[in-house]
Amino acid sequence: MPVADAKDGSAVPEREAEGMDRSRHMEDELREQNERFSAAVENMSHGLCMFDADERMIICNGNYINIFCLDAKVVRPGIHFIDILRHSVDIGIASQTADELYAIRKPYIDQAKPSTYEETLSDGRIINISHRPLALGGWVSIYEDITVQRRAEQDLKEQHRRFDAALANMSQGLLMYDADGKMIVRNRRFLELYNVTATDFPLGTTHRDALERLLELGIYTKIDVDSEVAKTEACLAAAKTHSAYRHLTDGRTVLVTRRPMSGGGWVVTFDDVTERRRTEERMTHLAHHDTLTGLPNRQMFRERLDHALEDASAPLAIFSLDLDRFKAINDTWGHPAGDWLLKSVADRLQRCLRSETDIVARFGGDEFVIIEFNLKSIADAEKLAKRVVEAIAKPFRDKSRDMHVGISLGIAVFPDDGSDADTLLKNADTALYRAKSEGHNLYRFFEPGMDAMVLARRALETDLEAALPRQEFDLDFQPIMNIASSEIVGAEALMRWHSPERGTMAPDKFIPVAEETGLIVPLGEWALRKACTAAASWPAGLRIAVNVSAVQLKSGGFARSVISALAFSGVPAGRLELEITETVLMDESETVLKTLRQLRELGIRIALDDFGTGYSSLGYLRRFPVDKIKIDRSFIHDLGNRDTAAIVRTVIGLGAELGITVTAEGVETEAQLDILRGNGCTEAQGYLIGVPSRAADIQRLLKTTAAFGSG
Ligand code: C2E
Ligand code: MG
Ligand code: MG
């Protein structure tokens, strides 16, 4: 030890030795400290660089070199700061020039307080730089590569932005609750939807409070808050979505859907489905109802019937209904009037029902169907059928006119006439068909065996349809005689159908069918033309009588077809006589009367056929002055009866009084002719005078016996 050495009187004085010791010791300590410092600097995770007051580098660590990709051989202690910057520009890591970089850094260097800033390198990395001035001048910079962190932050920010945009722009209202049941998200649409403010529903509001607030504000009509909270809890526990409709006091409907979130808490969405629900309701209504009358349609009727039959314990009746003469109404008055009539019929039918549960449906056109439930007896069905017939028989009066239609009904009863909907409907249709073929304003119950009759009738319709193009129709002519002069004054055209399958058919067999199918219109037109053409070759002055159906008169265009037949044949209007029946005049249709008047003005004569068989009301004679009355042959056949003879006498007297020709139909005996002559009847027609004959035969007859030139 140097101290001991000194005591011994050695060469080194004690103090000096002491001083040397201390300084060596300090040197050691300093070296050690330096090593520790270097080790710490070298091992720190950030880059570090220290500069002296002359801006020369004192020390830097490997991370600093690495971060800036510097060359350690160039960047060594003693290098000036500006040279480091130049080097970094040289190696291409700096994104600006050295001078620019220096100009940016200089204010920080000169500043006496610590500062932090960021620098972006040419490769896109972001370096955070912490600048600390040193007490004796110079500074220390700590460098940290924060690229990853910054990117993550930016991504998060972008995600937030997108989330906010989505939330603000979604068409649904949205609330999000955290695991503690507190509201953490609420979008604008939610506030708009319920017309509430953010202060009504601040974030942090609990689910229960939110529900209570909606009730308080009078937005929801009625909800049970406890049960709603319980429902949410159940939906969270089961991790299942739950949806329910909420009815708002303002009439709107909102679909509320709760969806649990995987990390706890849940999302509620609110969807205003008012319009959608209304459209859906409208669609279902449309799909199940007839648009014109608002009655249930075929589909709904079928559903109800099928359903009723599934557990039917009591009998029920199916009524198949069809309007009579509806086509004529449509043709005469136009479709708006037809539509109005159908609506009025629908109303009346509905009023005929006695039970809330009974249904009347429209199947289309003028077809309606009724189900009468809980039949106690057949008499119930019969009563309803009668009510319907009566209700529809009354005239339908709209603003300007009275319309007359009738209705026919076919009835099938469950379980007697069928156990399923198809059979019952088919059988009701069969019964309807029967009712229609028997006349108008009738109801018929289904009976076994009716099907065969219906099939036969359908076959007749089909054959009849084909007969006109196949030219199977022909006309016979029956002469008409003036009783006073015993001269033939004309002939009536009577239609015949020479069917290859059915033989020759009398008009009574097929005219009603042709009237129903509408075939009578072209058929009648054909008859007119054919009759006039035949009459053209008869001696001038002889009349031709043609029968005209009410359907033809109502079909529109009738006058035109008459005029065209006259023009075609060259027969003057004064030789044509149109025979109509009472029903034509009974129908108070203005167009029909107008047509008849128009024809009469042309000089065509109108005869009232089958007089006495219809309603025999004389009222219509006043409304439309006919030229001739034809007493039905049933009266002539019965002339032996005193009462009948009195009626015939009265009609002849009436004719004379009104200046109308009276023709007796079906005169078969001289005795009948004598009585008629005795009573002053104008004309006679019947087998006694002449049977209906082929055109050629009648022409021969007329040429020999006719009253030439008489009118
Ligand atoms: P209608 O106009 O009253 O014709 C007279 C009917 O009496 C004819 O029957 C005729 O053959 C029949 N008849 C004539 N004299 C006698 C007789 O002395 N004794 C008997 N028992 N019968 C006699 P038809 O030809 O069967 O015609 C029946 C009905 O068919 C006609 O009655 C008429 O209403 C209708 N009809 C005939 N042709 C046409 C037509 O072209 N168009 C339309 N719409 N109806 C027609
Ligand atoms: Mg006739
Ligand atoms: Mg007649």
Side-chain angles (χ1 to χ4, degrees):
M1 288 197 17
V3 177
D5 282 350
K7 269 181 194 164
D8 292 350
S10 60
V12 183
E14 199 173 309
R15 259 177 195 227
E16 204 173 314
E18 241 175 53
M20 281 171 63
D21 258 9
R22 208 178 301 130
S23 87
R24 208 175 302 125
H25 181 71
M26 273 172 66
E27 264 174 36
D28 285 349
E29 231 171 59
L30 205 60
R31 198 182 319 112
E32 212 169 294
Q33 231 175 38
N34 260 343
E35 273 167 20
R36 279 200 207 118
F37 175 70
S38 296
V41 165
E42 204 48 55
N43 286 301
M44 63 192 281
S45 58
H46 302 337
L48 180 139
C49 200
M50 193 184 282
F51 294 88
D52 63 14
D54 296 333
E55 302 182 5
R56 289 190 180 277
M57 189 179 96
I58 303 167
I59 187 174
C60 76
N61 67 359
N63 270 341
Y64 172 70
I65 298 291
N66 290 342
I67 286 173
F68 291 97
C69 311
L70 302 170
D71 183 347
K73 285 199 271 324
V74 177
V75 180
R76 294 167 58 88
I79 186 170
H80 194 276
F81 178 55
I82 186 82
D83 289 330
I84 300 179
L85 295 177
R86 284 187 187 121
H87 172 62
S88 62
V89 170
D90 289 345
I91 60 171
I93 193 72
S95 48
Q96 282 151 299
T97 65
D99 290 341
E100 279 168 355
L101 286 172
Y102 187 72
I104 294 169
R105 300 281 185 85
K106 188 67 175 149
Y108 295 109
I109 295 168
D110 294 342
Q111 204 169 269
K113 53 181 200 246
S115 50
T116 303
Y117 56 92
E118 278 171 20
E119 196 179 297
T120 305
L121 303 184
S122 64
D123 59 7
R125 281 181 297 139
I126 303 162
I127 311 299
N128 182 287
I129 304 173
S130 268
H131 178 92
R132 273 172 200 284
L134 295 173
L136 299 170
W139 75 93
V140 170
S141 287
I142 309 283
Y143 305 87
E144 188 186 357
D145 185 340
I146 54 164
T147 316
V148 174
Q149 184 191 330
R150 254 313 110 77
R151 293 236 168 98
E153 277 167 20
Q154 267 163 8
D155 285 354
L156 199 65
K157 223 187 262 172
E158 179 60 18
Q159 227 170 43
H160 275 301
R161 201 189 59 77
R162 287 190 195 140
F163 179 66
D164 284 344
L167 214 58
N169 290 298
M170 63 193 283
S171 61
Q172 295 170 318
L174 180 140
L175 295 180
M176 195 184 280
Y177 289 91
D178 65 11
D180 298 329
K182 294 232 165 61
M183 192 187 293
I184 47 169
V185 173
R186 176 208 60 221
N187 74 349
R188 199 174 54 205
R189 180 73 188 123
F190 168 80
L191 301 176
E192 285 167 2
L193 190 74
Y194 286 110
N195 199 14
V196 290
T197 63
T199 33
D200 290 327
F201 294 88
L203 293 184
T205 306
T206 63
H207 178 35
R208 175 181 289 279
D209 285 348
L211 289 169
E212 275 166 359
R213 191 72 39 81
L214 286 166
L215 275 178
E216 255 168 48
L217 294 170
I219 290 166
Y220 280 162
T221 42
K222 207 180 87 186
I223 45 165
D224 179 347
V225 174
D226 285 336
S227 102
E228 287 307 315
V229 171
K231 262 185 224 158
T232 304
E233 275 161 12
C235 134
L236 290 176
K240 273 201 182 129
T241 299
H242 175 269
S243 292
Y245 288 112
R246 293 259 175 276
H247 300 289
L248 273 53
T249 37
D250 63 8
R252 286 180 302 146
T253 308
V254 173
L255 179 66
V256 179
T257 307
R258 283 166 265 209
R259 283 186 193 85
M261 291 191 291
S262 52
W266 71 99
V267 175
V268 197
T269 52
F270 304 83
D271 221 338
D272 186 343
V273 292
T274 318
E275 260 320 298
R276 199 203 310 163
R277 291 263 289 187
R278 279 193 196 136
T279 312
E280 274 167 16
E281 274 162 23
R282 262 199 304 273
M283 299 291 276
T284 14
H285 185 88
L286 278 181
H288 286 91
H289 290 82
D290 166 45
T291 34
L292 179 66
T293 60
L295 291 181
N297 63 7
R298 187 189 295 268
Q299 189 191 333
M300 178 160 175
F301 180 87
R302 267 310 290 253
E303 282 169 17
R304 298 284 286 274
L305 180 57
D306 285 335
H307 182 72
L309 291 174
E310 264 167 35
D311 47 19
S313 44
L316 57 87
I318 305 293
F319 298 69
S320 190
L321 295 79
D322 191 283
L323 291 183
D324 303 326
R325 297 189 295 273
F326 176 68
K327 195 184 169 310
I329 295 269
N330 245 348
D331 291 344
T332 313
W333 302 112
H335 286 272
D339 286 353
W340 176 83
L341 182 81
L342 287 173
K343 278 191 257 183
S344 314
V345 166
D347 282 350
R348 287 193 194 175
L349 289 178
Q350 212 142 26
R351 266 182 260 130
C352 287
L353 303 183
R354 284 291 143 90
S355 157
E356 288 271 296
T357 50
D358 293 353
I359 301 170
V360 53
R362 179 171 172 235
F363 272 17
D366 58 348
E367 281 175 67
F368 295 86
V369 188
I370 293 176
I371 316 180
E372 188 181 25
F373 291 100
N374 294 319
L375 278 197
K376 282 179 205 72
S377 72
I378 291 297
D380 283 350
E382 199 151 11
K383 269 188 221 152
L384 176 55
K386 277 185 182 148
R387 276 204 302 277
V388 167
V389 169
E390 267 171 37
I392 304 301
K394 288 188 192 123
F396 288 85
R397 190 157 298 164
D398 83 347
K399 283 166 252 117
S400 53
R401 64 212 148 201
D402 276 359
M403 294 188 232
H404 294 262
V405 281
I407 197 157
S408 304
L409 297 92
I411 310 161
V413 176
F414 166 86
D416 295 358
D417 302 331
S419 55
D420 61 276
D422 282 332
T423 314
L424 286 166
L425 279 167
K426 186 177 126 281
N427 289 345
D429 273 347
T430 302
L432 168 67
Y433 210 83
R434 176 62 166 265
K436 275 208 154 308
S437 62
E438 285 181 13
H440 295 310
N441 278 330
L442 286 178
Y443 61 90
R444 286 286 171 265
F445 281 92
F446 173 76
E447 283 163 24
M450 263 187 186
D451 313 38
M453 179 232 136
V454 163
L455 285 178
R457 160 81 189 223
R458 292 239 158 94
L460 179 63
E461 281 176 13
T462 319
D463 287 359
L464 202 56
E465 203 69 45
L468 191 59
R470 278 153 63 177
Q471 303 186 327
E472 291 172 12
F473 293 102
D474 198 7
L475 294 179
D476 274 0
F477 296 88
Q478 186 176 33
I480 301 167
M481 184 187 81
N482 179 295
I483 298 177
S485 66
S486 298
E487 287 168 340
I488 302 298
V489 290
E492 178 180 4
L494 295 163
M495 204 184 288
R496 302 289 177 257
W497 174 20
H498 303 292
S499 161
E501 294 87 17
R502 298 165 189 269
T504 295
M505 305 269 286
D508 291 336
K509 292 275 184 302
F510 64 87
I511 293 283
V513 181
E515 284 180 330
E516 218 152 276
T517 61
L519 181 73
I520 192 67
V521 176
L523 190 56
E525 218 172 305
W526 168 85
L528 257 169
R529 202 168 256 242
K530 177 99 177 165
C532 289
T533 311
S537 61
W538 298 348
L542 287 194
R543 286 202 194 95
I544 170 70
V546 182
N547 294 284
V548 173
S549 149
V551 177
Q552 279 173 273
L553 271 164
K554 285 182 196 164
S555 72
F558 176 71
R560 218 179 318 119
S561 72
V562 175
I563 294 163
S564 134
L566 290 175
F568 177 79
S569 60
V571 169
R575 286 178 61 191
L576 178 63
E577 208 163 74
L578 297 177
E579 296 193 4
I580 58 170
T581 53
E582 285 171 317
T583 47
V584 172
L585 297 182
M586 292 274 309
D587 201 309
E588 291 154 38
S589 143
E590 227 359 91
T591 18
V592 169
L593 294 183
K594 220 170 91 190
T595 306
L596 288 175
R597 272 190 216 110
Q598 192 188 339
L599 292 169
R600 218 165 159 255
E601 274 159 24
L602 292 174
I604 294 162
R605 288 159 59 100
I606 307 296
L608 199 53
D609 206 351
D610 304 340
F611 189 79
T613 54
Y615 296 83
S616 300
S617 146
L618 297 176
Y620 49 74
L621 281 183
R622 213 178 38 188
R623 246 175 343 110
F624 187 82
V626 294
D627 300 286
K628 180 191 254 196
I629 290 173
K630 295 186 84 174
I631 304 175
D632 190 69
R633 67 167 182 265
S634 57
F635 291 91
I636 309 306
H637 185 261
D638 231 13
L639 264 184
N641 178 297
R642 269 186 47 212
D643 293 344
T644 309
I647 292 171
V648 171
R649 242 193 337 270
T650 311
V651 175
I652 294 170
L654 179 81
E657 201 69 31
L658 295 172
I660 295 173
T661 306
V662 176
T663 306
E665 293 187 292
V667 181
E668 294 180 355
T669 64
E670 288 291 353
Q672 289 165 343
L673 187 61
D674 283 345
I675 296 173
L676 292 164
R677 188 181 288 120
N679 286 301
C681 182
T682 334
E683 295 175 351
Q685 182 182 356
Y687 296 163
L688 180 72
I689 290 97
V691 294
S693 316
R694 312 299 291 265
D697 299 336
I698 206 74
Q699 197 187 4
R700 220 171 302 124
L701 173 87
L702 293 176
K703 279 200 171 132
T704 52
T705 59
F708 292 100
S710 74

